[in-house]
Amino acid sequence: MKTVRWSKTWQSSSVISDCLGEEERYVKNVENLLRSDHTIPFIARYRKELTGDMSTDKLYKVKEQLNRLDNLTKKIEKSIKDIEKLGVLTPNLSEAIAACTSATMLEQVTAAYKPGKKKSKSEQARNAGLGSVAEQLINGQRVDFKTLVGSHAELMSVKSVVDGTKDILIDIIRTNKFVLECCERASKAKNNFMICSKSKSKQETDEKKEKFDQYFDFKRGVGSLKHFQVMAINRGENLKALSVKIDLSQNGIHAIKRECTKVLSRVLDNNLKQETVEDACTRLIFPMVCRRTRSWLTEAAVESSIDVFADNLKHLLLTRPVKGINIMAIDPGYKHGCKVAVLDHQGKVLKTDVVYLQNLKSSSGKDSRFRASDEEKLQRLQAQLRFKTIAIGNGTACRETETSVTKMIAEKKFCEGTQYTVIDERGASVYSVTPLAQQELPNLDTNLRSAVSLGRRVLEPLSEYVKIEPQHLGVGQYQHDIAQKKLSSRLEDIVSEAVSFTGVDINTCSLHMLQKIAGLTKARAQAILDTRDSVGYFHNREQIKSIKGIGPKSYEQCIGFLRIYPNQPTKNSDETVEYEDVGAAVKGKRKLSSSSANSSKSKIMRRDVRFCFLDQTSVHPESYHIACVLLREQGLKQEDIGTEAFVQKIKLLNPGDISVKCSEGTKQCILNALSQRTDTDYRDQFARPIFKSTVLSAESLVVGTQLEGRVSNVTHFGAFVDVGVERDGLIHTSKMNGYTVCLGNRVRVKVEKKDHKGIGLYLLQVL
C-alpha cells in the first residue's frame, strides 16, 4: 500500500482558544512564551501585554491544554504509523485520526486497528476483496452480490457478501470526519441524561448504602450535573455500588443518523442504506457517544477538583503571617500528652515540654493524666518567655485542649491579652520525620517537631508549608480519584507561584524557599547559597549572573522575584560599600583585602559591590532604565523607594506619565512595584488566622445563632467553616448569599440547621 500523507486539521492555539474562551492571538502568544521556556509567574507579572492580562489560573489551563495536545499529536503520529504497518490505512481513516482533538476520540477511532488485536469485521471483509465493492456502492454504482458468491472462502453465500459489505460501509461511516464532529457535538448536548440505579452486585455493604443511597434512583440532565456529583457517581460505579448509563437526546440521535445517511447518500439500495445506518448507530456510534459523554463529564469534574485543590492550597500558602511575636504552640494529645513548643518571633525554639491538660477519657477509653501542676508550668513558661499568643493544632484532643486553655484565660492564669488560634495540623506529622526536619531540629523528638511546625505556621506560614509535599496538605476533595501526576504538577506550579509572587530576600532565604522561585531548580538554588556562604552577602542582582548554572534564561525568569535590601553587612571589615543611583548596569570598584584575592567566587562577587535601590522591588532589571527615567522626570530619588512620601507620589501617577516608549503592561508593572512600602508583604491581601479567648460547644448552638468563623475547606458543593465547636459547619452553595469564599476567609454565619449529621450554616457576610 502506498504511504498515505496526513497532517493535523487543527492548530493548538485554536483548540485551546475554543476550549477556554480566550482570544486566539493571546493563546498563541502564551504558547510561544511557554515553548521558549518562560515560567508562568514570569509571564503573569512581566508579559501582561502579550497575554491580554490573563490570570495565572488561565495560564495554567493553557499550559495543561498545550501539554495535552502535544501528547495527543505524538499519539496520532504513532497510531498512523502503526496502522500503516498493518497495511489498512486509508485516506478516510487517516483524515479521521488527524482530526481527533482528544485522546478519547482517538481511542474510539483506532480501537479496531491496534497491533495484536483480532482483525475487525471490516478488515476481514476487505481481505476478502469487498473493499472495492463498498467503494462502488458509495459512488452510486449498482452491484450484483450474487456474482461475488464463492470468490473467497469467507463468501459462500449472498448473505455473507452483503454482511461483509455492510461491515466496510459501517467502518467508513464510523471514521468519517463529519460524523465524528457530529458525534462530538451530540456528546456535549446539555439535554443528554445520566441515569443511576442501585447496582445488582452482591458486594454491597452498609457503608456503600449510606454513601451512595441518594444516587440509587437518580436521573439528571448532564447540563445541570454538579462536578462533585460526577465524581461521587464515578466512585460509586467503581465500587460496584451504582449502575450508570447515558440516555442520549432525541435531537442528537436524529442528527447523527442524518450525518451517517449523508455518507451513503449515493447508495442506490435504500434498504441496504437504512439497515447499514441503523446497525452502525446502534452497535457502534451511539455507545461511542455515550462513552464520550461520560469522558468529558469526568474530565470537567477532575479539572474542577484540581482547581478547587489548587485554589485552597494557594490561599493556605499565602495565609498572612503574624510577625513580631513570641508564640506557644500546642500539639494536643491524650495518652502521650500535649506537646508544647515556645518560639521567638523568628521561629527559633526557646523551650519544649509535654503537659497533660485533659481530665477525661480518650477515644480509646483510656484516662488521660491531667496534672494541675502542668497549668502552673505553662504559667511559668509565659512569665519567662513573654508570649501572649497560643497556637493549638486541630487534631486529636483539640477541643478539649482548647477548653483547658480558655479556662486558664478566664481564670486569669495567663496574663491579660492572651489569645489563641486553632491551626491546621495537616502535614505536620509528615514533616516531622523528613530529613529536613531532622536537619533543622536534630535534638527534638518527632512529636515535638510537629509542635514547632504548628507555631511556625502562624509566624511564617509560607516558609513552613513549602517544606511539605503539597498533596499531604490535603485541602481538597476526591484528590485520590485524580491522576496523581497531573495533580502533583499543578500543585507544584501553585507553590512556585506563591513563593515567587511573595518574593524572597536572597541574603537570608533558605534552600527550600529559594528552589521554589520560578526559573530556579534545587541545584541552581544551592549554587546561589554556596556562593553566599563562601563569599558573603549579595549587594546587587547583577552578581547573580556570574554564578555557575545561572544562564541568561534562568536569570531572566528568576531575578524579578529575588530581593536585595540596602544596608546588608559585608563579610570583610575593610570593604567599602557604596550606593548606585542608576538602573541599567551596576558597576564600580571597592578596596579589597589581599586575603580574598585568590578566590574565584570572591572575584565574581566583588566585581560589582554597589547597591541598587531598585533591587529591593519587583521591577525587573530589563525595565530599570524605564524606572530611572520615570524617577528622574518626577524628581524622585532611588534611596527614597518604599517611604511613605515616595509611595504616595507614585500612586498619583498613571502609565501615561512615563515618557519612555514601552507597553502599557510594562508601565503599570513598574508603577505597581514602586507603589509598595518597604514593609509591604504580598500576603497582606490574604486572610490571617482568627484569634479568640473563649470557646463554644456544639450543644450550646441553636438555630438562628450568629457566629464568626474561618473557612477551613472549599468544595464543589459548598464551604466548611470552623466556628469554634467540635465540628466544622457547612455552607451549602445554595446558602452563599451571593458571595464567593476562599480558604482562610473570615466569615459571619447564621446557624440554619443542627442535627446528628452536622451543622448547616447560612453566609451573612465575608469579613
Side-chain angles (χ1 to χ4, degrees), residues 320-326 345 458-460 679-684 688:
R320 192 190 313 174
V322 180
K323 301 178 180 179
I325 63 167
N326 289 2
H345 66 284
V458 177
L459 299 174
E460 185 50 62
D679 58 354
T680 298
D681 191 312
Y682 175 75
R683 296 166 290 177
D684 290 344
R688 61 175 291 172

Side-chain angles (χ1 to χ4, degrees), residues 548-564:
K548 185 177 180 180
I550 307 296
K553 179 60 69 174
S554 297
Y555 179 83
E556 176 194 49
Q557 297 300 301
C558 76
I559 199 63
F561 307 114
L562 304 179
R563 306 282 186 272
I564 299 178

Side-chain angles (χ1 to χ4, degrees), residues 286-405:
F286 291 160
M288 178 182 74
V289 175
C290 291
R291 290 193 298 271
R292 180 59 185 145
T293 298
R294 292 291 305 275
S295 177
W296 77 257
L297 282 172
T298 299
E299 288 170 4
V302 166
E303 192 64 36
S304 180
S305 294
I306 292 176
D307 288 344
V308 168
F309 201 119
D311 191 60
N312 285 345
L313 177 64
K314 181 187 294 187
H315 284 83
L316 180 67
L317 294 173
L318 294 174
T319 300
R320 192 190 313 174
V322 180
K323 301 178 180 179
I325 63 167
N326 289 2
I327 190 170
M328 178 175 73
I330 303 177
D331 185 4
Y334 289 113
K335 182 179 178 180
H336 299 292
C338 298
K339 281 64 69 178
V340 176
V342 182
L343 313 176
D344 69 7
H345 66 284
Q346 293 181 326
K348 180 182 177 182
V349 180
L350 301 177
K351 183 76 174 177
T352 60
D353 213 329
V354 178
V355 298
Y356 296 86
L357 299 177
Q358 300 86 23
N359 190 17
L360 42 84
K361 288 188 176 181
S362 69
S363 57
S364 63
K366 296 182 179 180
D367 290 324
S368 63
R369 298 175 291 174
F370 170 76
R371 295 196 296 245
S373 60
D374 283 357
E375 289 188 352
E376 297 174 3
K377 188 183 293 185
L378 295 184
Q379 288 179 277
R380 289 195 297 272
L381 282 176
Q382 186 178 51
Q384 294 169 6
L385 303 175
R386 300 182 180 279
F387 61 82
K388 287 189 176 183
T389 302
I390 302 171
I392 302 173
N394 69 343
T396 303
C398 167
R399 295 307 175 190
E400 294 80 7
T401 303
E402 189 179 358
T403 300
S404 299
V405 168

Side-chain angles (χ1 to χ4, degrees), residues 93 181 230 272 333 351 387 395 537 652 682 767:
L93 179 57
E181 290 175 352
V230 174
L272 177 64
K351 183 76 174 177
F387 61 82
Y537 288 110
L652 296 176
Y682 175 75
L767 302 175

Side-chain angles (χ1 to χ4, degrees), residues 511 514-515 517-531 544 547-551 553-555 557-558:
L511 175 63
L514 187 59
Q515 69 185 6
I517 289 289
L520 294 182
T521 61
K522 185 175 182 179
R524 291 168 184 162
Q526 188 63 62
I528 292 173
L529 296 189
D530 289 345
T531 303
I544 307 300
I547 297 175
K548 185 177 180 180
I550 307 296
K553 179 60 69 174
S554 297
Y555 179 83
Q557 297 300 301
C558 76

